[in-house]
């Protein structure tokens, strides 16, 4: 068994091993799970194929793929894994000249660009473009993608595979309970002996938070009152050609900000928002007035997004004060117009929004249908072009697109998110025969998978182009599995580095097991779910954690969900209280959040330990993470165990075939 | 119906009334509940008797009794209620000369004192004492108490009464759900229209918190590190005749405070403490070392309790900063020796511990058995004497007991608590034949009720004596119903002004209904329960609130249970999140907490409204409490309704008897 080489055995783990051997060695796997050898081999083969598929898409896009799983995949092919082959995202640390420096920009490559089937192709020059000879970069192929999708889709409905995954997941659960019973006190002892490190000073990243809701309700209220006190006569809004001062805005709303309360602000989600994403969205309007949203939480308005920037900087300041908390806020690019990137970058740099405790994600709302019905765009390709063309241009010619380049590289955008109400049903089923983005001219919104594939495809090409230039690459981190069809989780399994929510993994044992085997990070927000889609007590976070899925905790929208000044701590506190999580549990979640985040390699080394990329306990520096080595060994050994079953099945089948 | 006179009807309530009439008017009460007229009349009579009993004990001790219930009790006797008859606790505001002023102390009354059957009797002078002619104050009579107890004990087991109460409680629950459905938006609208007041700036009192655990774990950790940094060479401990500096203490523990973490501090309750009150108690020892408890969280130690005082003052400072949060911390008097009061008072005054945001409760642990087995006391009466005699002495001759007098009056102790593990079983059943406290010489601990009766008895006499002198009176606020026998809740129903916990009301519909009818305030701590006795999801707080019991939220022990800096807000936030409480719900809880607290009449007027003693909406100033008038009307009308059923039953029976 491979695991033996890697795991430093501790007494506790040893005890567990002995106990587990009683269960596992005396009976074969097929005995335990009451499935036939053929079914087991069939399930193993299908599952391995799915792992190979995810690995392929991850490598193409410079997404993370766990070493342990990669090693087993190599061994299934009788190959040897080597560190050199490993593909890692490129995330640049902030340069010493300061985050906003525009010195020494890379030269113009003079490449040409063209969008074809919704994907941007790169050409060495105009000639190559005319001859349609794109530069040798990997370009995704829709047909292959459709075949890969259908493979995974088929397997999540396959009986024997379902049975196998369901039983393995149950086993993982029971095994963790056993681990807890035997090793809980030993883990605690380890943690107690670590000097100077406890839950409060391990690094935590709020892996999923929207910038427009990153302040809590009390904070926004105070900010509104403060601006009114000092700048009532400032012109802040232009509407229908007329200009309005802050005072006039509030006069029109028939309201004195002095009297404003959290109640009248009315941005908090309540019982009314449960299963009503539409109502929830309108909570972004303070006092139900879209003017106030426009003034206070938009970056592109009459006051050049000054208030929004100030609010964000206050939040960043609190994070910096807390020292150990980081956040990855989402800013929107809609794909409505080509200037969006330019505007956002200029706003960001002008307002000096960089903070060492923040990394930025660009969220793209799935609202083609709205833009189309308002005739803002002629087809879906136009949206993709508005989103991605400026990125390619800034990559090819940073000197011409200084702000975008600096925004992307240094201050620093690390990924993309795809957002909207997943529970909206789509009639269209995405296949390789679906209309191409240029042909998607109907008013209907494309389905979730259509959005994901085309975002992934462009990010992938872009990442390869940027890697060539030594520039940072981007992670694709869509919202996925918050509601709606289970197929969303299949699309993300192929295309995403990591996802937000993942609640629907509850509904598919096969997908849940695949997300476990490939350690796809999941940023979960149980308080957000509690207000929107799923009661707290039914949230699967604890179960996922116990089984060993890579889960982190995030706030989603402090403005709508949280009560205290420290939203992320509130999230951790409630989870710890309600689920009686141990210190080791919460520190493991915090460690996952750093792993999952867009923090740079250097920062991760600093926060998790020099060797954080290594497997198991060797990759863990307990003095930094406060996660017990026993826990790390348990996780690693368990994952190796699960993977070895799959590889063994395929190998034994191969041997049997040879012999016959 | 009486309620009609008092309730200002709002549209929402009107709608509800119409709906409820459909249910109630077409069917008689006995129809609805499927009980016979005789059973109903029997239940009503017994319940009314219980209400009269509680009213009697409340009046005797200057405890609060709700006006509404008092009015119905008068009407049952064909009497008229009048405001003049109302008995209210006397709670002095802080005098203008400052809280520690020892000017103008009242004169010595030269009364004599003697303990008889564990109760202190007051005599006008030595002669009266010799002739055993005590001063005319109400003294409790054990026999009457035993009869009253047995009446309530009998009724909680009486079939028809149980059925009646169970069904009324179910009805209250359904009625509230109906109220919510019809009036939730109207309540919210009311709250939105209140200027400047929201959940964040309504007054909240942490009605149950132990001083020794009033700081959170991170706070204590930082404090220990800070003292070590600046005062390592200070002598802080004397043990076995030897003196130790802080450095020596930590050297002996083989520990460098710099390396200390929340994990090694190990004061937080975890999975290990569930149903293990013993383990929980040892969590008061930082790093498991009783020396550190002695140094940091004791008032009577080598450094004269300086560190403990500084910690408490830091907590008080945070409360004052927050402005809207108050706390009622418990300090211990053990009854081990007569000097305890003197020491505690001197410590308190010397350390200047008064804070406008704190009111103090004295907790008496039920640990006679420990003192007896160590031969510290000869019998139970000695403990009572050690606790209460100094209070009587300070009341009679404040000039001789200046510190105790000032501590009790101005700075300011407002009540007594009785604390310990309620789940400990006692073999002894308390009756009027039980050994008197002077005769209780065995090593066994007296049962819960024995403690409660004797504490109540002494507080009652003391309160009457103090009221005569124009001094403040004390509330009896025992821990009750956290675990153990249901009879605890019967004892407290007679003797307590209000209680902490009350979980076991879940188990007795009769007691729960009685606590509802008499609006006995209950300080609940669901996070504490979650770690010790009852999972959060099973906590009855929400259910009690919906039915209309007078519940508040409290933290119990932030050191052991809470994660964030604002423990009380954490408590509210989790309750609001998990139970989806509306703003009106949480503000009602906050209002209850002020009502229940030992804050003075003047403060309550300021925080709740001028007329807060009045019934229903008239007693509520929404601009201060942020509780909707619709809610107040609903609560008042509902209580009147329940009470009128009882009174009507008794009256109709009387009419029937006359007629026959």
């Amino acid at each position: 068994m491979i695991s033996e080489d890697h795991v430093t055995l501790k007494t506790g783990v040893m005890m567990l091993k002995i106990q587990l051997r009683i269960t596992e060695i005396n009976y074969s796997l097929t005995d335990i799970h009451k499935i036939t050898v053929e079914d087991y081999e069939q399930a193993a083969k299908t599952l391995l194929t799915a792992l190979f598929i995810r690995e392929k898409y991850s490598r193409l896009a410079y997404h993370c793929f766990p070493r342990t799983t990669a090693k087993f995949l190599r061994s299934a092919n009788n190959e040897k894994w080597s560190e050199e082959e490993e593909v890692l995202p490129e995330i640049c640390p902030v340069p010493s000249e300061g985050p906003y420096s525009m010195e020494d920009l890379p030269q113009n490559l003079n490449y040409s660009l063209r969008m074809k089937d919704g994907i941007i192709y790169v050409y060495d020059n105009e000639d190559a473009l005319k001859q349609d000879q794109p530069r040798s970069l990997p370009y995704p192929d829709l047909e292959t993608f459709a075949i890969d999708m259908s493979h995974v889709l088929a397997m999540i409905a396959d009986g024997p595979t379902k049975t196998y995954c369901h039983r393995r997941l149950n086993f993982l659960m029971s095994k963790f309970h056993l681990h807890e019973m035997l090793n809980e006190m030993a883990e605690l002892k380890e943690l107690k002996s670590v000097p100077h490190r406890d839950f409060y000073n391990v690094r935590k990243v709020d892996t999923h938070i929207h910038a427009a809701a990153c302040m809590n309700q009390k904070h926004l209220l105070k900010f509104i009152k403060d601006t009114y006190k000092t700048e009532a006569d400032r012109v802040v809004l232009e509407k229908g050609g007329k200009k309005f001062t802050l005072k006039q805005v509030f006069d029109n709303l028939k309201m004195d900000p002095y009297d404003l309360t959290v109640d009248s602000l009315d941005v908090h989600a309540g019982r009314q928002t449960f299963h009503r994403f539409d109502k929830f969205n309108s909570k972004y309007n303070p006092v139900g007035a879209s003017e106030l949203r426009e003034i206070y939480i938009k970056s592109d308005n009459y006051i050049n997004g000054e208030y929004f920037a100030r609010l964000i900087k206050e939040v960043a300041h609190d994070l910096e004060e807390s020292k150990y908390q980081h956040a990855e806020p989402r800013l929107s690019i809609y794909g409505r117009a080509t200037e969006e990137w330019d505007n956002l970058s200029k706003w960001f740099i002008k307002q000096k929004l960089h903070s060492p405790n923040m990394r930025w994600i660009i969220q793209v709302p799935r609202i083609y249908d709205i833009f189309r019905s308002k005739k803002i765009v002629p087809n879906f390709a136009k949206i993709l072009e508005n989103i991605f063309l400026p990125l390619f241009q800034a990559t090819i010619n940073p000197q011409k697109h200084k702000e975008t380049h600096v925004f992307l590289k240094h201050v620093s955008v690390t990924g993309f998110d795809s957002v909207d109400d997943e529970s909206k049903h789509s009639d269209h089923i995405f296949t390789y025969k679906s209309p191409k983005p240029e042909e998607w001219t109907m008013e209907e919104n494309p389905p979730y998978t259509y959005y994901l594939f085309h975002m992934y495809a462009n990010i992938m090409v872009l990442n390869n182009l940027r890697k060539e230039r030594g520039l940072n690459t981007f992670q694709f981190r869509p919202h996925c599995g918050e509601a709606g069809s289970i197929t969303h989780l299949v699309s993300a399994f192929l295309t995403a580095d990591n996802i937000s929510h993942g609640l629907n993994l509850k509904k598919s044992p096969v997908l849940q097991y695949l997300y476990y085997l490939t350690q796809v990070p999941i940023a979960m927000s149980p308080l957000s779910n509690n207000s929107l889609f799923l009661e707290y007590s039914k949230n699967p976070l604890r179960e996922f954690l116990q089984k060993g899925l890579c889960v982190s905790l995030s706030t989603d929208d402090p403005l709508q969900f949280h009560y205290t000044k420290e939203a992320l701590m509130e999230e951790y506190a409630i989870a710890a209280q309600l689920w009686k999580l141990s210190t080791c549990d919460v520190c493991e979640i915090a460690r996952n959040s750093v792993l999952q985040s867009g923090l740079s390699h250097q920062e991760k080394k600093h926060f998790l330990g020099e060797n954080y990329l290594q497997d198991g306990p060797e990759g863990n520096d307990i003095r930094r993470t406060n996660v017990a080595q026993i826990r790390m060994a348990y996780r690693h050994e368990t994952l190796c165990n699960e993977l070895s079953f799959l590889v063994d099945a395929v190998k034994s089948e191969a041997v049997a075939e040879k012999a016959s």
Side-chain angles (χ1 to χ4, degrees), chain A:
Chain A
M1 215 169 78
I2 287 193
S3 67
E4 306 258 339
D5 307 336
H6 299 276
V7 178
T8 318
L9 290 170
K10 300 266 164 178
T11 336
V13 177
M14 187 69 99
M15 279 168 65
L16 179 64
K17 274 194 134 168
I18 293 161
Q19 294 252 3
L20 289 178
R21 287 223 169 109
I22 298 168
T23 342
E24 295 227 39
I25 294 198
N26 295 344
Y27 311 90
S28 80
L29 194 74
T30 46
D31 278 343
I32 304 173
H33 291 337
K34 310 265 178 305
I35 52 173
T36 65
V37 176
E38 292 72 37
D39 277 358
Y40 161 46
E41 284 173 356
Q42 175 57 30
K45 218 154 89 181
T46 340
L47 287 166
L48 274 178
T49 313
L51 302 189
F52 279 115
I53 291 175
R54 174 159 170 90
E55 193 192 28
K56 175 178 72 182
Y57 286 95
S58 294
R59 292 178 68 91
L60 282 171
Y62 292 92
H63 281 167
C64 292
F65 192 80
R67 272 192 191 182
T68 310
T69 314
K71 286 176 187 169
F72 276 90
L73 291 184
R74 292 298 79 70
S75 91
N77 283 347
N78 294 313
E79 296 164 6
K80 241 192 128 41
W81 179 88
S82 87
E83 204 169 319
E84 290 77 51
E85 284 173 45
E86 196 170 38
V87 152
L88 286 174
E90 192 80 37
I91 299 165
C92 301
V94 175
S96 53
E97 317 91 75
Y100 310 106
S101 159
M102 297 201 187
E103 312 279 300
D104 297 325
L105 299 183
Q107 283 195 311
N108 185 3
L109 294 174
N110 285 311
Y111 290 168
S112 298
L113 297 166
R114 182 167 67 187
M115 177 163 273
K116 202 166 70 186
D117 299 347
I119 299 167
I120 291 172
Y121 284 73
V122 185
Y123 300 86
D124 284 336
N125 46 49
E126 279 296 309
D127 279 352
L129 188 145
K130 272 175 205 147
Q131 290 158 31
D132 199 15
Q133 288 179 331
R135 199 176 157 70
S136 142
L137 289 170
Y139 297 95
D141 167 40
L142 178 55
E143 205 157 329
T144 317
F145 179 80
I147 293 167
D148 291 337
M149 270 290 287
S150 67
H151 172 84
V152 184
L153 280 169
M155 68 183 288
I156 64 170
D158 173 54
T161 312
K162 277 205 282 193
T163 304
Y164 181 77
C165 295
H166 176 70
R167 297 200 171 155
R168 291 316 299 167
L169 288 167
N170 279 354
F171 179 78
L172 284 174
M173 193 75 158
S174 305
K175 190 174 171 185
F176 186 80
H177 287 315
L178 201 56
H179 166 74
E180 254 185 345
M181 278 183 260
L182 294 170
N183 299 324
E184 188 176 6
M185 297 318 291
E187 284 183 353
L188 207 63
K189 210 177 139 196
E190 264 196 79
L191 301 190
K192 279 191 193 176
S193 70
V194 179
H196 209 64
R197 189 70 57 202
D198 57 34
F199 167 65
Y200 289 93
N201 60 23
V202 297
R203 300 281 171 163
K204 299 160 205 75
V205 184
D206 193 342
T207 43
H208 166 204
I209 177 170
H210 300 280
C214 70
M215 67 305 284
N216 86 349
Q217 53 178 350
K218 187 78 186 154
H219 183 176
L220 179 60
L221 181 70
K222 192 175 172 302
F223 188 86
I224 292 177
K225 291 188 178 205
D226 286 350
T227 49
Y228 190 81
K229 235 182 266 168
T230 53
E231 308 175 15
D233 295 322
R234 175 173 178 181
V235 177
V236 292
L237 185 70
E238 187 167 2
K239 211 174 142 187
K242 267 190 73 180
K243 288 177 182 175
F244 299 89
T245 65
L246 209 50
K247 190 165 181 328
Q248 287 165 332
V249 170
F250 279 103
D251 285 350
N252 288 347
L253 292 170
K254 295 190 184 27
M255 165 183 316
D256 180 352
Y258 178 79
D259 291 335
L260 212 57
T261 65
V262 159
D263 299 330
S264 46
L265 196 66
D266 195 23
V267 290
H268 220 246
R271 274 178 287 204
Q272 282 76 35
T273 49
F274 201 62
H275 285 294
R276 288 293 303 274
F277 206 88
D278 52 336
K279 276 200 178 179
F280 171 73
N281 265 339
S282 69
K283 288 280 180 185
Y284 273 95
N285 294 325
V287 210
S290 61
E291 296 93 318
L292 296 186
R293 180 181 190 172
E294 169 79 22
I295 296 168
Y296 286 100
I297 49 180
K298 290 276 180 190
S299 63
D300 190 10
N301 55 16
Y302 187 81
I303 52 170
N304 295 317
E306 185 190 314
Y307 286 166
F308 186 32
R310 269 161 55 183
L311 271 164
I312 292 175
K313 278 188 280 189
E314 289 176 6
V315 172
H317 177 77
D318 288 345
L319 290 178
E320 289 162 31
E321 286 276 288
S322 84
K323 186 171 170 190
Y324 299 100
Q325 289 179 41
H326 301 247
E328 304 191 288
R330 271 72 173 159
L331 291 167
S332 294
I333 289 282
Y334 297 90
R336 201 169 18 191
T338 22
E339 311 83 59
E340 284 182 48
W341 274 107
D342 209 33
N343 294 340
L344 189 68
S345 309
K346 281 181 177 151
W347 167 73
F348 196 97
I349 290 164
K350 188 178 168 216
Q351 301 289 346
K352 296 207 183 337
L353 273 168
H354 173 74
S355 157
N357 292 51
M358 279 184 174
R359 287 299 175 280
W360 301 86
I361 310 271
I362 298 300
Q363 63 179 14
V364 180
R366 294 188 297 275
I367 48 175
Y368 158 81
D369 51 340
I370 295 176
F371 296 148
R372 181 68 190 85
S373 71
K374 288 185 181 166
K375 304 210 186 328
I376 297 171
V377 294
N379 55 36
F380 186 68
K382 188 68 196 165
I383 285 190
L384 290 169
E385 195 184 297
N386 289 337
I387 298 167
F388 290 104
L389 197 60
L391 299 176
F392 281 85
Q393 288 167 338
T395 303
I396 289 168
N397 190 0
Q399 307 199 343
K400 196 178 162 198
H401 308 274
K402 281 181 188 161
E403 287 86 0
T404 306
H405 171 78
V406 167
F407 179 44
L408 293 178
K409 189 175 176 204
H410 290 152
V411 273
S412 87
V413 176
T414 63
F416 289 87
D417 194 348
S418 170
V419 299
D420 201 32
D421 182 2
E422 281 189 74
S423 65
K424 282 192 215 155
H425 174 72
S426 169
D427 283 329
H428 183 88
I429 292 167
F430 180 40
T431 67
Y432 66 97
K433 289 181 197 150
S434 297
K436 300 277 177 280
E438 289 81 356
E439 299 155 7
W440 195 289
T441 52
M442 50 188 155
E443 287 207 2
E444 199 195 332
N445 212 18
Y448 182 87
T449 304
Y450 195 91
Y451 271 98
L452 252 64
F453 170 74
H454 289 99
M455 282 194 70
Y456 168 82
N458 283 294
I459 292 168
M460 189 204 105
V461 180
L462 180 65
N463 278 349
N464 281 282
L465 178 66
R466 291 179 71 85
K467 188 84 180 180
E468 262 191 8
R469 293 216 76 176
L471 296 173
N472 57 312
T473 59
F474 304 109
Q475 301 171 313
F476 186 37
R477 303 171 60 172
H479 278 53
C480 182
E482 184 182 15
S485 163
I486 192 82
T487 60
H488 299 185
L489 286 158
V490 178
S491 329
F493 181 73
L494 269 58
T495 59
D497 181 89
N498 61 71
I499 62 168
S500 294
H501 292 303
L503 295 181
N504 278 345
L505 289 175
K506 260 180 111 157
K507 296 180 185 166
S508 165
V510 178
L511 278 170
Q512 195 182 126
Y513 194 55
L514 284 175
Y515 272 70
Y516 166 70
L517 292 174
T518 48
Q519 293 286 300
V520 182
I522 310 167
M524 303 188 77
S525 308
L527 287 178
S528 160
N529 304 147
N530 185 54
S531 289
L532 283 170
F533 289 106
L534 189 70
E535 275 175 40
Y536 205 97
S537 58
K538 293 177 188 158
N539 200 291
L541 186 140
R542 176 170 54 168
E543 191 190 314
F544 288 175
L545 176 71
Q546 291 175 331
K547 289 174 184 163
L549 279 86
C550 183
V551 294
S552 65
L553 268 170
S554 56
T555 57
D556 200 346
D557 300 275
L559 181 62
Q560 274 88 24
F561 304 126
H562 298 74
Y563 284 87
T564 66
K565 286 173 208 152
E566 297 179 282
L568 187 61
M569 282 304 286
E570 186 175 337
E571 197 77 50
Y572 272 92
I574 295 184
Q577 297 271 18
L578 269 284
W579 290 321
K580 303 205 173 161
L581 302 180
S582 72
T583 307
C584 192
D585 292 335
V586 285
C587 291
E588 190 181 6
I589 294 173
R591 181 175 178 275
N592 287 345
S593 78
V594 176
L595 275 179
Q596 170 177 12
S597 74
L599 289 169
S600 68
H601 187 52
Q602 286 81 347
E603 287 164 309
K604 289 185 185 179
K605 271 189 183 174
H606 182 53
F607 300 157
L608 304 179
E610 273 300 309
N611 306 316
Y612 82 95
L613 282 169
Q614 287 192 36
D615 296 322
E618 283 163 42
N620 181 43
D621 185 344
I622 187 173
R623 293 165 306 169
R624 294 172 188 221
T625 61
N626 208 39
V627 178
Q629 292 294 43
I630 301 180
R631 173 69 60 96
M632 294 298 293
Y634 171 80
R635 293 290 187 216
H636 180 56
E637 181 178 323
T638 303
L639 181 59
C640 288
N641 211 28
E642 295 302 316
L643 288 164
S644 67
F645 284 140
L646 302 184
V647 174
D648 291 353
V650 177
K651 285 197 169 170
S652 70
E653 195 191 21
V655 171
E657 264 172 29
K658 235 181 231 172
S660 68

